[in-house]
Amino acid sequence: EHTIEFAPGWDQDTSYNSQEGIPDQVQWSRRRSRDNQDFILLNTDIGLVRDMSGELDTSTGVATCAFKLDSANIPRCSHAAATMDWMTEYRLNESKFLE
């Protein structure tokens, strides 16, 4: 679980859709500091490294836990024990990920 503390931070936000029939979507985002590149993930992606069981509002998709501990004192989501080792292995090994 020590690798959790060294992971980049991800923040939850909402993408508001103005088109009729397309619902707003909750997503997780972060900006990489070295080049200001933005990344987004969905709950299904974050769920590979964080256990959000019982932490999701099923009507909105908003998680009641944070990716990392932050100044807002929102509790951190537990690590996803079933998949964390795989995600740690694949995180920095693109060729392993593509196997």
Side-chain angles (χ1 to χ4, degrees), residues 15-75:
S15 174
Y16 296 100
N17 294 303
S18 59
Q19 290 184 309
E20 187 176 329
I22 299 176
D24 297 339
Q25 298 292 315
V26 174
Q27 61 191 27
W28 296 78
S29 61
R30 77 174 181 95
R31 176 166 282 183
R32 186 167 56 192
S33 60
R34 71 173 182 226
D35 59 7
N36 287 327
Q37 184 173 354
D38 293 321
F39 294 90
I40 63 166
L41 295 175
L42 302 176
N43 283 342
T44 53
D45 303 310
I46 294 293
L48 292 169
V49 293
R50 296 294 186 271
D51 182 358
M52 294 186 285
S53 301
E55 300 287 353
L56 287 177
D57 179 325
T58 57
S59 65
T60 64
V62 173
T64 58
C65 57
F67 190 82
K68 290 179 79 166
L69 293 178
D70 62 14
S71 59
N73 293 322
I74 299 169

Side-chain angles (χ1 to χ4, degrees), residues 3 6-8 30 32 34 49 84-98:
T3 57
F6 300 107
R30 77 174 181 95
R32 186 167 56 192
R34 71 173 182 226
V49 293
M84 181 58 90
D85 288 343
W86 291 335
M87 297 303 100
T88 301
E89 183 177 350
Y90 295 142
R91 180 174 182 255
L92 298 174
N93 189 336
E94 184 178 354
S95 60
K96 179 73 174 172
F97 177 80
L98 295 174

